[in-house]
Amino acid sequence: MPQLLHLDSSADLDHSVSRAVTAHFSDIWHSLGADHSVIYRDLHRDAVPHLPTSALHWAPHLRAAGEVAPPEAEALQKELIDEVVSADVVVIGAPMYNWSVPSTLKAWIDYIHVPGITVPFDAPTRPLEGKPVVVVSSRGNEYGPGTQNEGADHTVPQLQQVLGTALGMQVYVVLIDLTLASRVPAMAPLVPQSEAALAAARSSVAELADKLGRGLG
Ligand SMILES: Cc1cc2nc3c(=O)[nH]c(=O)nc-3n(C[C@H](O)[C@H](O)[C@H](O)COP(=O)(O)O)c2cc1C
């Protein structure tokens, strides 16, 4: 039973671009067959708390003497890790907030990036190795090569580092630039470019959902 884990983190519940695009991914996934299931987690509406203690960064057997974690936080960490491990594919809505990821998404990362459990430390433990993850990153401005903001994106590189380099996941990135064009009067001439970026993102996720979901039936 092919399973998608669908995460959103935008704080915009009405006009979010990343939510619309991840929902499109989910819709295509569902359309591949009744056996294609989706687990949905809204990291904004149902935010996970900040780590209550740094002990949770380590697998229990790697904790120093006296480093203990509250049982309810351990249970939440296990639930979040089990959820991502059991998924066949993951899609993450990752808007740019102050050149980085929303703090709600960062809190989720802090729970699931755990030496000795999800990343190798004293043993070659890497349960997420090779798992496809689609990152949908919406940003108000533009950050591509040759733009004024080139190099200022710390959203996607952070996710590539954690999900790809550390956890070993296969990261696909879908970018949507200029989402603020329709809101900021000075950006009005960029509206057609912004609409084209959204259309391109929708077709990229449709293609990816189809490609990643099809072989799994
Ligand atoms: C708290 C906050 C911080 C933001 N910081 C940036 C930023 O650093 N750079 C940028 O280009 N846009 C920034 N924006 C604009 C968002 O990236 C843009 O509205 C994007 O579409 C948000 O994703 P969403 O449409 O899925 O909510 C920010 C928006 C918010 C709410």
Side-chain angles (χ1 to χ4, degrees), residues 77-211:
Q77 181 171 55
K78 182 174 180 327
E79 181 186 340
L80 297 175
I81 291 174
D82 286 351
E83 209 165 71
V84 68
V85 168
S86 68
D88 295 290
V89 175
V90 182
V91 63
I92 303 180
M96 177 184 283
Y97 279 5
N98 294 307
W99 300 277
S100 182
V101 296
S103 54
T104 48
L105 178 54
K106 179 60 167 53
W108 177 81
I109 289 169
D110 289 342
Y111 276 92
I112 65 138
H113 175 259
V114 186
I117 296 183
T118 54
V119 290
F121 193 80
D122 54 344
T125 328
R126 231 181 178 200
L128 299 172
E129 179 98 57
K131 193 185 297 289
V133 55
V134 179
V135 169
V136 174
S137 190
S138 45
R139 50 272 186 102
N141 215 321
E142 60 184 344
Y143 293 85
T147 63
Q148 228 183 352
N149 305 305
E150 182 178 357
D153 172 15
H154 303 287
T155 311
V156 172
Q158 180 180 171
L159 293 169
Q160 279 169 324
Q161 176 66 31
V162 177
L163 302 172
T165 307
L167 298 174
M169 299 177 84
Q170 192 183 355
V171 183
Y172 296 87
V173 176
V174 176
L175 299 173
I176 314 146
D177 275 346
L178 297 172
T179 63
L180 289 178
S182 56
R183 177 181 184 132
V184 177
M187 293 175 75
L190 299 169
V191 166
Q193 213 177 310
S194 154
E195 288 172 350
L198 177 56
R202 281 178 60 85
S203 79
S204 291
V205 296
E207 216 172 279
L208 277 169
D210 190 74
K211 179 179 115 171

